[in-house]
């Protein structure tokens, strides 16, 4: 275990003591203790910047399941370091903000901070794991902690619905991704991402390539809320605002982007990869920005804006993957990757601060509805200033950082038409057009966000609370992020060598990194070129569109806020529930004999099919040992009592005969010299007879059932068939073994039970030592069954009660 | 309890036999490593002896005599069995690795100590308690 592993595990370990902190140190807000974790981790990751900028990477491995090639490998390069810093840095600010946002008197802080720490650890695990299986485990953990955080106010229906929606969609994608990872393993023979990249050559031409990338991208697209899976993100806004700022804008939703970039060296250069990501991203960008305009809820607006910005980064990553097609580090392609990395960072900063200011507005006024808000500029000047910085950066106004990355975005999408591959010269024209259009919409919703909230006349009587500026502690975090927006905007090259260049090198692994295209130099002024005119166009048209809002705000499309894809999801869920209830009702009749019929019939069909399919019926009577009189007598008694059973009309007699059958089987074990089995069978039989006798009290009067003869015949046929098949399979297995050299498993136990486990009773040594896990899990099943009996009988259900 | 009986012979035989069975079950439990027996069989037989008591006497009487809530014994047994598994992890071996060694004491001679016995205690408790809980609960149902 290296420090790197501990860095991932510390949040989980700390989460364990949170309930104690909350319970025993009540006067201090628990958040102050939590604040230590991300702050320390942030400081821990900072020193990695210099060596990583020099091109170093770090890999620490701890074996987990070495026999399957699953190791807990922590890997740091530029790209994972950027995420680690974002997670811990923004994490610290969010925790600080939450201390003022959540009142320690009224809110259950334990739930909040335990889940938040769980998320932090899981997210660090996602970005630092090199092994895809470990990555998957952490990936699902982020989904689960996100769900728990969304449902933090679990007494609200909307919270529960939003949480379930996010869980359903992201975990479904996660499953698809797991399948994709399995296919990757089939293709490459390793679970390590870096080892896969080392042998990238064969992957793209492999027949499994397309299914693999579709499955993996399903995981990435659901997590990063890409069209049409974006519908969970707006509903996730039911979470407390610190959570929205942290998980649903700065970190977790970027996990999909992280994954796409991580796999770009492996899959990049294929047209499918290029088009799915770039096209999907572009569509998301447009859809998100359009939907954001229609939102009346501040956080809903920010949610759709996050969707749209994530789409933009995704689109850029798709475009940049073309560099790997050419195997050439030309600035024409690398600029897209540069813009993606840069915008990812910028988005985390300005969107984080915007969420926090939206949270402040909600906290201080009691509403987030833009139709009710207005005129807060003079009441909350600090909040207004920070919001203005964030919104201006998002809209792409110079000299803030959003302007710079927006310029690079324009540069990338206009360059993309000159690639000359993948039909980019024709269909590629869509990129600049749609990208520009979406930027206009982005400008409009930024205006809506700021002016509808802060401009206009202030009418105190519209608010339920007395509105005033937020406490200073609540303003620190958004102010810090706002400062980052300004500083990076003015001195963008602060990040160039330390963060952006190493990240680009990691995403475009395999290209010569000393090429000129990897030297990042971000400038505000490029001269009068196309990008500048596009920006001017965005501001001009955007302003016009916003000023004309009075005209189009009456349109019905503006007034409907629900996403057209949400009903699709809803009807899917109701359909699923209805369908599964239908199937359940058909098979769960509540009658034991029906279940027995299903099981036996299925068994019969599957065994007959298999035996015929492999032509496996062989009966070889050679080498069969002699049958003693004793065995003949036992079998005879067994057959007679079994045949007698169905004709017994008295219940007690039936139980006794059934017990007799069980004791006969015990005698068989004695005959075959298996004392342990015989003893177990005897005891089980005894207990069973007692149990039957008891159950007998609770059964209704035994009455002769009047059933159709045909029904009984089918039952007889079924049981006869099962018995015959079992016998035939046993005989065939025996015969098959004759012709082949098999050594029984028991040989190993006979040889080793005394030496390895110190016991001379082999059966018992197998139970407690060689296969102890089986034993303990069987007892677990038994225990659960016992508890279920208690639950069923003590908490009796009435007729018609649903489970 | 409906199944209270007044059969005198049955009552008197049970008074002796139930405890013989109980003793034998404990013998079986310890014999397990080298001879037939072990936690599973021992647990079942213990359950049988207690059930015999329940069959013979009034449930209330037995509850007074054995004031044990078997429901709690199920997780206790499982915890012991699962818990001994972590011993292996402490010594950097796989989960549920069992250890044993031979010791010599004056007068007693050589004997064996094995962690498998601890594990078996868990199995014993889990099995005995599960069987008892299932049957006593069903029997006690009105």
């Amino acid at each position: 275990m290296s420090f790197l592993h501990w860095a991932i595990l510390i949040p989980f370990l700390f989460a364990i003591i949170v309930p104690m902190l909350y319970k025993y140190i009540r006067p201090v807000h628990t958040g102050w203790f939590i604040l230590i974790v991300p702050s320390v981790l942030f400081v821990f990751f900072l020193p990695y910047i210099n060596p990583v900028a020099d091109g170093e990477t770090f890999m620490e491995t701890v074996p987990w399941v070495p026999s399957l090639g699953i190791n807990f490998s922590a890997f740091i390069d530029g790209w994972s370091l950027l995420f680690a810093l974002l997670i811990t840095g923004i994490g610290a600010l969010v925790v600080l903000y939450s201390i003022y946002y959540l009142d320690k008197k009224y809110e259950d802080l334990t739930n909040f901070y335990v889940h938040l720490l769980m998320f932090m650890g899981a997210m660090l695990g996602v970005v630092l794991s090199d092994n895809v299986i470990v990555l998957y485990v952490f990936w699902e953990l982020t989904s689960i902690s996100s769900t728990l955080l969304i449902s933090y106010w679990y007494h609200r229906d909307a919270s529960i619905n939003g949480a379930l929606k996010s869980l359903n969609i992201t975990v479904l994608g996660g499953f698809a991704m797991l399948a994709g990872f399995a296919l990757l393993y089939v293709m490459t023979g390793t679970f390590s991402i870096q080892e896969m990249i080392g042998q990238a050559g064969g992957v793209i031409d492999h027949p499994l390539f397309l299914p693999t990338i579709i499955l993996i991208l399903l995981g990435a697209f659901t997590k990063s809320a890409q069209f049409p899976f974006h519908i969970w993100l707006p509903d996730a806004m039911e979470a407390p605002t610190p959570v929205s700022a942290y998980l649903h804008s700065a970190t977790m939703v970027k996990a999909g982007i992280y994954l796409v970039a991580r796999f770009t060296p492996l899959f990049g250069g294929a047209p499918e990869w290029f088009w799915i990501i770039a096209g999907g991203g572009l569509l998301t960008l447009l859809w998100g920005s359009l939907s954001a305009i229609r939102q009346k809820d501040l956080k809903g607006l920010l949610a759709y804006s996050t969707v749209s910005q994530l789409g933009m980064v995704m689109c850029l990553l798709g475009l940049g993957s073309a560099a790997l097609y050419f195997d050439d580090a030309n600035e024409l392609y690398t600029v897209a990757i540069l813009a993606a990395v840069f915008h990812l960072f910028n988005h985390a900063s300005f969107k984080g601060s915007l969420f926090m200011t939206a949270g402040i507005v909600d906290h201080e006024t009691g509403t987030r509805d833009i139709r009710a808000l207005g005129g807060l500029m003079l009441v909350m000047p600090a909040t207004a200033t920070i919001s203005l910085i964030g919104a201006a950066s998002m809209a792409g106004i110079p000299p803030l950082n959003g302007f710079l990355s927006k310029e690079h975005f324009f540069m990338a999408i206009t360059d993309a038409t000159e690639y000359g591959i993948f039909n980019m010269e024709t269909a590629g024209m869509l990129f600049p057009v749609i990208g520009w259009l979406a930027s206009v919409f982005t400008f409009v919703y930024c205006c809506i966000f700021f002016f509808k909230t802060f401009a206009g006349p202030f009418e105190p009587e519209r608010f339920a609370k007395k509105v005033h500026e937020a406490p200073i502690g609540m303003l620190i975090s958004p102010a810090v992020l706002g400062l980052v927006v300004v500083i990076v905007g003015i001195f963008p090259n602060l990040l160039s060598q330390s963060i952006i260049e190493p990240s680009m090198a990691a995403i475009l692994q395999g290209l010569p990194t000393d090429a000129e295209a990897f030297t990042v130099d971000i400038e505000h002024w490029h001269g009068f070129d196309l990008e500048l005119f596009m920006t001017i166009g965005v501001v001009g048209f955007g302003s016009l569109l916003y000023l004309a809002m009075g005209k189009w705000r009456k349109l019905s499309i503006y007034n409907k806020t629900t996403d057209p894809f949400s009903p699709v999801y809803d009807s899917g869920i109701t359909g699923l529930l209805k369908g599964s209830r239908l199937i359940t009702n058909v098979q769960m009749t509540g009658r034991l004999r029906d279940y027995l019929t299903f099981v036996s019939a299925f068994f019969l069909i599957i065994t007959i099919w298999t035996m015929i399919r492999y032509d496996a019926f062989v009966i070889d009577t050679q080498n069969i040992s002699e049958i003693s009189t004793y065995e003949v007598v036992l079998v005879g008694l067994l057959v007679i009592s079994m045949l007698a059973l169905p004709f017994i009309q008295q219940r007690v007699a039936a139980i006794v005969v059934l017990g007799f059958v069980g004791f006969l089987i015990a005698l068989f074990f004695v005959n075959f010299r298996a004392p342990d089995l015989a003893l177990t069978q005897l005891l089980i039989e005894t207990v069973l007879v007692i149990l039957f006798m008891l159950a007998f009290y609770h059964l209704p009067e035994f009455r002769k059932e009047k059933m159709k003869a045909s029904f009984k015949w089918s039952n007889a046929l079924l049981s006869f068939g099962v018995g015959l098949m079992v016998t035939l399979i046993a005989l065939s297995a025996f015969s098959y073994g004759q012709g082949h050299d098999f050594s029984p498993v028991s040989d190993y136990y006979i040889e080793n039970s005394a030496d390895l486990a110190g016991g001379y009773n082999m059966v018992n040594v197998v139970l407690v030592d060689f296969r102890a896990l089986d034993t303990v899990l069987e007892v677990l099943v038994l225990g659960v069954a016992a508890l279920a009996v208690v639950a069923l009988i003590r908490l009796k259900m009435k007729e018609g009660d649903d489970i | 309890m409906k199944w209270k009986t007044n059969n005198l012979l049955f009552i008197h035989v049970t008074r002796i036999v139930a405890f013989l069975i109980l003793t034998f079950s404990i013998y079986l439990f310890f014999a397990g490593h080298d001879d037939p027996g072990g936690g599973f069989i021992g647990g079942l037989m213990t359950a049988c002896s207690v059930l015999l008591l329940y069959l013979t006497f009034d449930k209330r009487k037995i509850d007074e005599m054995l004031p044990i809530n078997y429901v709690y014994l199920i997780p206790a047994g499982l915890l012991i069995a699962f818990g001994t598994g972590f011993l292996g992890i402490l010594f950097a071996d796989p989960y549920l690795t069992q250890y044993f060694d031979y010791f010599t004491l004056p007068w007693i001679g050589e004997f064996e100590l094995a962690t498998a016995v601890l594990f078996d205690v868990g199995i014993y408790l889990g099995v005995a308690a599960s069987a008892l809980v299932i049957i006593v609960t069903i029997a006690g149902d009105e």
Side-chain angles (χ1 to χ4, degrees):
Chain A
M1 295 283 271
S2 65
F3 280 119
L4 218 47
H5 291 101
W6 284 115
I8 299 173
L9 295 178
I10 278 175
F12 292 108
L13 297 177
F14 204 83
I16 297 174
I17 61 165
V18 168
M20 281 169 260
L21 289 176
Y22 178 63
K23 194 168 176 194
Y24 294 113
I25 315 182
R26 283 308 283 264
V28 186
H29 196 286
T30 317
W32 290 112
F33 300 107
I34 312 297
L35 187 57
I36 301 168
V37 178
S39 316
V40 167
L41 287 176
F42 184 70
V43 175
F44 168 79
F45 283 114
L46 273 182
Y48 280 99
I49 290 183
N50 274 328
V52 166
D54 292 336
E56 251 185 277
T57 57
F58 298 85
M59 172 85 93
E60 303 279 356
T61 302
V62 171
W64 184 19
V65 194
S67 53
L68 297 176
I70 299 173
N71 298 311
F72 187 8
S73 317
F75 177 73
I76 283 204
D77 62 358
W79 186 231
S80 46
L81 184 62
L82 166 62
F83 269 86
L85 288 172
L86 278 181
I87 294 162
T88 50
I90 296 195
L93 293 176
V94 162
V95 171
L96 177 67
Y97 177 78
S98 73
I99 292 172
Y100 294 91
Y101 188 83
L102 294 172
D103 196 316
K104 70 170 188 266
K105 268 188 228 139
Y106 307 111
E107 306 283 0
D108 182 4
L109 298 178
T110 316
N111 279 348
F112 183 79
Y113 285 116
V114 166
H115 299 154
L116 197 75
L117 283 174
M118 190 170 125
F119 166 76
M120 201 182 285
M123 192 65 206
L124 279 174
V126 167
V127 300
L128 294 177
S129 296
D130 178 54
N131 193 292
V132 286
I133 299 296
V134 181
L135 188 149
Y136 170 75
V137 172
F138 283 123
W139 181 279
E140 295 294 38
L141 256 182
T142 60
S143 295
I144 292 167
S145 48
S146 153
T147 304
L148 290 171
L149 284 168
I150 296 170
S151 60
Y152 174 67
W153 285 308
Y154 51 82
H155 48 269
R156 298 183 189 165
D157 279 344
S159 297
I160 297 291
N161 290 337
L164 277 180
K165 201 171 185 178
S166 88
L167 189 72
N168 283 336
I169 294 179
T170 54
V171 169
L172 200 72
F175 271 138
M177 194 178 79
L178 182 65
F181 288 160
L183 291 182
L184 257 185
Y185 183 75
V186 171
M187 289 195 279
T188 60
T190 171
F191 283 127
S192 161
I193 299 175
Q194 293 306 314
E195 280 175 31
M196 286 174 197
I197 293 172
Q199 44 176 298
V203 173
I204 290 183
D205 308 317
H206 201 281
L208 288 176
F209 172 73
L210 192 62
T212 308
I213 63 164
I214 289 177
L215 287 170
I216 291 182
L217 287 179
L218 260 178
F221 274 31
T222 48
K223 197 75 160 181
S224 278
Q226 297 296 295
F227 184 88
F229 307 110
H230 63 277
I231 47 169
W232 69 267
L233 193 58
D235 286 7
M237 290 302 131
E238 290 301 326
T241 304
V243 173
S244 311
Y246 190 30
L247 273 71
H248 305 125
S249 85
T251 54
M252 189 187 82
V253 287
K254 294 196 168 111
I257 286 174
Y258 168 82
L259 196 81
V260 166
R262 189 44 93 205
F263 280 106
T264 295
L266 192 58
F267 299 126
E272 296 92 345
W273 181 258
F274 178 91
W275 269 109
I276 295 176
I277 297 174
L282 194 69
L283 202 57
T284 313
L285 168 64
L286 182 68
W287 187 266
S289 57
L290 250 176
S291 304
I293 294 179
R294 302 192 314 163
Q295 297 307 306
K296 315 294 181 290
D297 174 19
L298 273 189
K299 278 177 80 180
L301 186 148
L302 288 177
Y304 274 106
S305 123
T306 305
V307 168
S308 128
Q309 307 271 325
L310 290 171
M312 173 172 154
V313 176
M314 200 60 105
C315 170
L316 286 166
L317 283 176
L319 292 178
S321 74
L324 289 149
Y325 176 84
F326 296 104
D327 240 345
D328 169 23
N330 191 324
E331 205 172 322
L332 206 55
Y333 330 114
T334 55
V335 70
I337 300 290
L338 186 153
V341 175
F342 192 35
H343 194 71
L344 181 100
F345 177 87
N346 295 342
H347 177 252
S349 60
F350 65 67
K351 190 56 68 65
S353 81
L354 282 178
F355 262 112
M356 289 180 191
T357 53
I360 291 175
V361 169
D362 184 19
H363 203 259
E364 301 305 329
T365 65
T367 180
R368 299 193 310 240
D369 195 322
I370 55 168
R371 286 165 298 197
L373 290 166
L376 296 176
M377 199 176 321
L378 294 175
V379 193
M380 307 168 84
T383 312
T385 314
I386 299 166
S387 299
L388 181 63
I389 292 171
S393 175
M394 181 153 74
I397 308 279
L400 302 169
N401 60 4
F403 162 72
L404 296 167
S405 44
K406 189 62 71 70
E407 288 263 285
H408 279 89
F409 167 67
F410 287 144
M411 207 187 294
I413 52 175
T414 45
D415 284 354
T417 52
E418 297 166 25
Y419 284 179
I421 48 164
F422 310 148
N423 299 325
M424 278 305 281
E425 63 279 9
T426 48
M429 279 318 290
L430 282 174
F431 282 88
V433 174
I434 294 182
W436 182 81
L437 209 60
S439 298
V440 174
F441 295 139
T442 305
F443 188 89
V444 175
Y445 70 68
C446 289
C447 292
I448 294 178
F449 178 87
F450 182 75
F451 292 114
K452 291 284 169 202
T453 315
F454 296 103
F458 177 65
E459 294 160 31
E461 65 277 4
R462 273 199 299 191
F463 301 106
K465 290 182 175 179
K466 186 165 177 348
V467 183
H468 51 77
E469 181 61 280
I472 185 81
M474 217 169 177
L475 288 167
I476 294 175
S477 299
V480 168
L481 288 173
L483 211 61
V484 170
V485 170
V486 176
I487 292 177
V488 172
I490 298 174
F491 309 105
N493 288 317
L494 278 179
L495 292 176
S496 303
Q497 280 166 11
S498 52
I499 297 284
I500 301 177
E501 284 180 20
S503 296
M504 286 170 67
I507 298 171
L508 296 175
Q509 244 180 70
L511 298 185
T513 46
D514 47 352
E516 203 176 314
F518 277 95
T519 320
V520 177
D521 190 16
I522 301 166
E523 286 168 1
H524 292 88
W525 180 252
H526 313 268
F528 289 102
D529 48 14
L530 189 55
E531 290 84 51
L532 184 69
F533 291 122
M534 281 170 95
T535 306
I536 294 171
V538 165
V539 176
F541 274 95
S543 309
L544 281 178
L545 212 53
Y546 175 69
L547 291 175
M549 194 176 170
K551 297 259 194 305
W552 49 261
R553 71 187 310 166
K554 290 183 190 70
L555 294 178
S556 66
I557 189 163
Y558 174 76
N559 288 314
K560 267 187 283 181
T561 45
T562 45
D563 197 291
F565 287 89
S566 266
V568 177
Y569 166 87
D570 292 338
S571 55
I573 288 288
T574 30
L576 191 70
L577 287 177
K578 219 182 265 173
S580 29
R581 196 166 293 145
L582 206 73
I583 293 173
T584 310
N585 286 344
V586 166
Q587 58 166 3
M588 302 289 275
T589 55
R591 279 188 302 198
L592 209 52
R593 61 165 169 263
D594 286 347
Y595 302 151
L596 219 58
T597 312
F598 295 151
V599 173
S600 311
F602 185 72
F603 169 80
L604 208 57
I605 291 166
I606 204 111
T607 46
I608 290 178
W609 183 79
T610 315
M611 293 299 274
I612 291 174
R613 164 90 171 66
Y614 294 101
D615 196 17
F617 285 113
V618 200
I619 293 173
D620 182 5
T621 48
Q622 277 181 330
N623 289 326
I624 286 183
S625 57
E626 279 190 34
I627 301 166
S628 65
T629 352
Y630 188 59
E631 281 156 11
V632 174
V633 172
L634 276 182
V635 172
L637 283 174
L638 201 63
V639 171
I640 291 169
S641 40
M642 286 307 282
L643 284 178
L645 255 180
F647 300 100
I648 297 174
Q649 298 294 335
Q650 265 184 317
R651 205 167 253 148
V652 181
I655 293 168
V656 170
V657 173
L658 200 60
F660 182 65
V661 171
F663 289 121
L664 279 177
I665 292 173
L667 276 182
F668 262 111
F669 288 134
V670 172
N671 186 43
F672 293 130
R673 285 175 296 164
D676 276 285
L677 287 184
L679 209 53
T680 314
Q681 174 71 22
L682 270 176
L683 287 166
I684 291 276
E685 215 48 56
T686 314
V687 174
L688 265 184
V689 169
I690 299 177
L691 189 61
F692 275 139
M693 290 300 223
L694 287 174
F696 169 75
Y697 278 103
H698 299 284
L699 292 177
E701 284 296 304
F702 198 93
R703 58 172 191 277
K704 201 167 179 185
E705 295 194 46
K706 294 186 186 75
M707 275 178 292
K708 278 182 225 147
S710 65
F711 175 66
K712 284 196 171 176
W713 271 111
S714 69
N715 277 0
L717 206 66
L718 200 60
S719 32
F720 181 73
V722 170
L724 189 71
M725 270 316 287
V726 171
T727 315
L728 283 178
I729 289 172
L731 286 174
S732 303
F734 174 76
S735 310
Y736 185 76
Q738 293 301 305
H740 299 80
D741 186 25
F742 291 131
S743 67
V745 190
S746 50
D747 285 352
Y748 174 83
Y749 296 130
I750 293 173
E751 279 166 26
N752 292 308
S753 67
D755 296 340
L756 291 182
Y760 292 90
N761 178 3
M762 198 180 89
V763 176
N764 221 281
V765 168
V766 170
L767 278 178
V768 297
D769 196 322
F770 289 125
R771 308 211 58 90
L773 191 64
D774 289 355
T775 314
V776 72
L777 291 180
E778 274 158 23
V779 177
L780 179 68
V781 171
L782 194 63
V784 170
L787 295 179
V789 168
V790 174
L792 273 179
I793 289 182
R794 298 253 168 94
L795 319 166
K796 253 183 221 152
M797 275 189 291
K798 297 202 176 53
E799 187 117 358
D801 275 2
D802 206 352
I803 299 166
Chain B
M1 183 64 76
K2 287 174 193 162
W3 28 301
K4 189 192 169 188
T5 134
N6 286 318
N7 189 329
L8 210 61
L9 197 62
F10 192 35
I11 292 175
H12 281 278
V13 169
T14 302
R15 278 194 179 143
I16 300 165
V17 168
F19 294 98
L20 282 180
I21 299 177
L22 189 66
T23 319
F24 185 57
S25 77
I26 292 167
Y27 162 76
L28 273 181
F29 168 72
F30 281 109
H33 217 37
D34 295 328
D35 296 306
F40 200 89
I41 296 176
L44 273 180
M45 196 166 267
T46 306
C48 281
S49 75
V50 179
L51 283 176
L52 188 59
L53 290 176
Y54 273 107
L55 277 177
T56 320
F57 301 104
D58 200 306
K59 181 172 183 287
R60 207 184 300 142
K61 220 177 256 172
I62 304 299
D63 284 344
E64 272 171 28
M65 198 178 86
L66 293 170
I68 305 166
N69 191 346
Y70 307 115
V71 174
Y72 292 125
L73 288 184
I74 300 175
L78 284 171
L79 276 182
I80 294 174
F82 276 105
T84 54
F86 287 100
L87 225 64
I89 291 189
L90 277 185
F91 294 109
D93 282 319
Y95 181 66
L96 276 173
T97 307
Q98 310 286 9
Y99 303 93
F100 67 96
D101 207 348
Y102 298 92
F103 299 90
T104 318
L105 274 186
W107 298 302
I108 296 174
E110 193 186 62
F111 69 100
E112 185 189 356
L113 278 184
T115 54
V117 176
L118 269 182
F119 175 80
D120 232 11
V121 169
I123 302 296
Y124 173 88
L125 283 177
V127 170
S130 302
L132 281 172
V133 163
I134 292 176
I135 292 183
V136 173
T137 314
I138 291 178
D141 184 29
E142 300 299 315

